[in-house]
């Protein structure tokens, strides 16, 4: 969801990956956040807040300076496995074949990283995955972002193949940088620079590559969970509580906060809180109730592991999900699934 002036809201989990790649200690975290106005706690495990696209660019600029490595974009991209993208990554990994996984990435990645766009185009015996960065950025930062997304697609394909992707063709719209010899260390396919567009071109025969770990039930659950719950909200209910429920159910779990909800309703956060209080409710209570219901639905269906459900609900740490679940139901997720009465 874009915020004002062309910025975009992005999970802080990506900045935590940056900090880990740099090997920073706690006392060094403020260096990574210089110029962002963000407090260090956004880089701590369990933080679920979002930052603007401009703040994310500043983090990457700082990281490049701290590392003193012009190829830091390649290093960062190599850490962005499908699981780095939360429920979207889970949806892709549970897809039955590579084409479905790429479509999932195309359809849902902008929800989590809204400044990036992936378009798929058939080209005879190949499929082109075009990469577009929508966020205005200086040349150096733009190159880092494109490097990251080329490696995101490579990682997804290699997850299906179970081996390095050698038969693709990777195109970059910028000239070969001074550190161009470093690309071969991270990108396993043929490289082309100064091209009309940044894209990954895959042989068509790979698109039907079956996912050895794919599961139709898991894929359907990941894709349909929010849509199914959305249908439970009465269309005629116009209370503020139900409006908030409808908005939250239409978003990926954990992807928005109270400020986003208030903005979607064209009111201030304070006004939203006051109107919900008048109805005997609150944003936190609505969100907690919905998360608890989603968790219970998935546990009863028995198709997903506890760790997978945690990711699906936007928890970056399954331990945090287990603590929240015990607070909701008085027992562990596994005990709930096994039918054990609350402690």
């Amino acid at each position: 969801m874009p915020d004002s002036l062309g910025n975009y809201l992005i999970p802080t989990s990506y900045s935590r990956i940056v900090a880990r790649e740099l090997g920073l200690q706690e006392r060094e975290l403020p260096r990574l956040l210089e110029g962002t106005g963000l407090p260090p706690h956004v880089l701590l495990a369990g933080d679920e807040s979002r930052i603007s696209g401009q703040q994310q660019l500043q983090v990457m600029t700082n990281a490049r300076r701290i590392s003193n490595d012009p190829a830091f974009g390649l290093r960062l991209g190599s850490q962005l496995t499908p699981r780095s993208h939360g429920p979207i990554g889970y949806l892709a990994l549970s897809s039955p074949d590579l084409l479905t996984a790429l479509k999932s990435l195309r359809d849902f990645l902008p929800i989590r990283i809204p400044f990036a766009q992936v378009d798929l185009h058939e080209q005879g015996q190949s499929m082109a995955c075009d990469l577009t960065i929508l966020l205005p950025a200086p040349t150096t930062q733009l190159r880092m972002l494109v490097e990251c997304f080329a490696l995101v697609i490579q990682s997804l394909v290699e997850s299906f193949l179970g081996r390095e992707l050698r038969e693709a063709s990777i195109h970059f719209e910028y000239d070969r940088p001074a550190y161009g010899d470093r690309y071969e260390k991270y990108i396993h396919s043929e490289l082309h620079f100064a091209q009309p567009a940044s894209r990954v071109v895959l042989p068509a025969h790979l698109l039907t590559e079956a996912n050895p770990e794919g599961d139709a039930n898991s894929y359907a659950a990941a894709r349909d969970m929010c849509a199914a719950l959305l249908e439970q909200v009465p269309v005629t209910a116009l209370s503020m509580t139900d409006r908030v429920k409808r908005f939250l159910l239409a978003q990926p779990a954990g992807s928005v906060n109270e400020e986003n909800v208030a903005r979607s309703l064209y009111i201030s956060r304070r006004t939203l809180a006051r109107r919900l209080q008048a109805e005997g409710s609150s944003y936190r209570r609505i969100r907690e109730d919905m998360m608890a219901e989603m968790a219970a639905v998935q546990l009863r269906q028995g198709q997903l592991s506890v760790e997978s459900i945690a990711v699906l609900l936007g928890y970056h740490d399954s331990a945090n999900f287990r603590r929240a679940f015990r607070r909701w139901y008085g027992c562990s997720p596994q005990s709930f699934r096994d039918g054990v009465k609350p402690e």
Side-chain angles (χ1 to χ4, degrees), residues 152-163:
V152 163
I153 292 179
Q154 175 179 272
S155 178
L156 174 60
V157 176
E158 291 183 343
S159 296
F160 273 73
L161 299 180
R163 59 172 174 81

Side-chain angles (χ1 to χ4, degrees), residues 143 172 174-184 191 193-194:
R143 186 169 61 231
F172 297 101
Y174 48 80
D175 293 337
R176 184 182 182 93
Y179 58 89
D181 58 336
R182 299 275 298 277
Y183 275 69
E184 284 77 5
L191 293 165
F193 294 93

